[in-house]
Amino acid sequence: MPYLTVGVVEARGLLNADSGKNGDVSDPFVRVFCSAALEGIQQTRCIQDNLDPVWNDQFLFELDPARMVRAVLDVWVLDKDFLWDDDLGRAKVNLADLTPGQKYDKWVPLVLDSGKTHGQIRLQLHLQDMAN
């Protein structure tokens, strides 16, 4: 059975979706979803008032081999708010671009709804068969 280890390390240059008054800036957290995973969405903790947060969180996804053909890792950076969470950007990684057994440490640009990029997220990825 293949597995994908995803390290959500840090982000930099995030959009400020809060007021900016008295140091009030975005409170970012990350949701991670893999289209080939047997389980659902994973989520980091929220970092208060920080546009360059460090999470150092790690998630393990068990993958369905039948869904690996066009599998994508979706990463959403969000600003935690009282009523609804604001979108700070999204990133996608095609699993077909990952060589099994190789470890990746990469900065990925975050794309806003407008199509513009703003900020980056650092991911550590390792696609593997647990028999290895």
Side-chain angles (χ1 to χ4, degrees), residues 38-130:
L38 299 176
E39 58 276 326
I41 295 172
Q42 303 285 337
Q43 182 173 304
T44 68
R45 68 194 182 288
C46 177
I47 305 289
Q48 297 292 315
D49 296 317
N50 199 321
L51 301 179
D52 299 303
V54 176
W55 294 281
N56 283 321
D57 286 348
Q58 193 170 50
F59 305 106
L60 182 66
F61 291 95
E62 184 177 357
L63 306 177
D64 179 354
R67 292 195 247 168
M68 292 289 293
V69 175
R70 293 187 207 150
V72 174
L73 179 72
D74 287 301
V75 179
W76 298 275
V77 181
L78 300 159
D79 170 40
K80 186 73 173 168
D81 282 326
F82 183 69
L83 294 177
W84 63 84
D85 300 327
D86 297 313
D87 185 11
L88 299 179
R90 300 178 194 151
K92 288 186 182 285
V93 177
N94 291 317
L95 295 192
D97 295 339
L98 304 179
T99 302
Q102 185 172 339
K103 293 182 180 180
Y104 296 85
D105 189 332
K106 59 194 310 182
W107 284 95
V108 182
L110 294 169
V111 180
L112 302 170
D113 285 339
S114 66
K116 294 181 180 179
T117 60
H118 196 287
Q120 296 176 310
I121 188 162
R122 182 177 167 207
L123 302 174
Q124 293 177 335
L125 307 169
H126 187 203
L127 179 61
Q128 61 190 329
D129 187 335
M130 286 310 252

Side-chain angles (χ1 to χ4, degrees), residues 7-36:
V8 178
V9 181
E10 62 186 314
R12 62 185 175 202
L14 295 180
L15 181 69
N16 183 18
D18 288 347
S19 71
K21 295 179 182 175
N22 299 318
D24 180 32
V25 296
S26 294
D27 308 309
F29 69 99
V30 179
R31 288 189 180 139
V32 182
F33 173 76
C34 181
S35 61

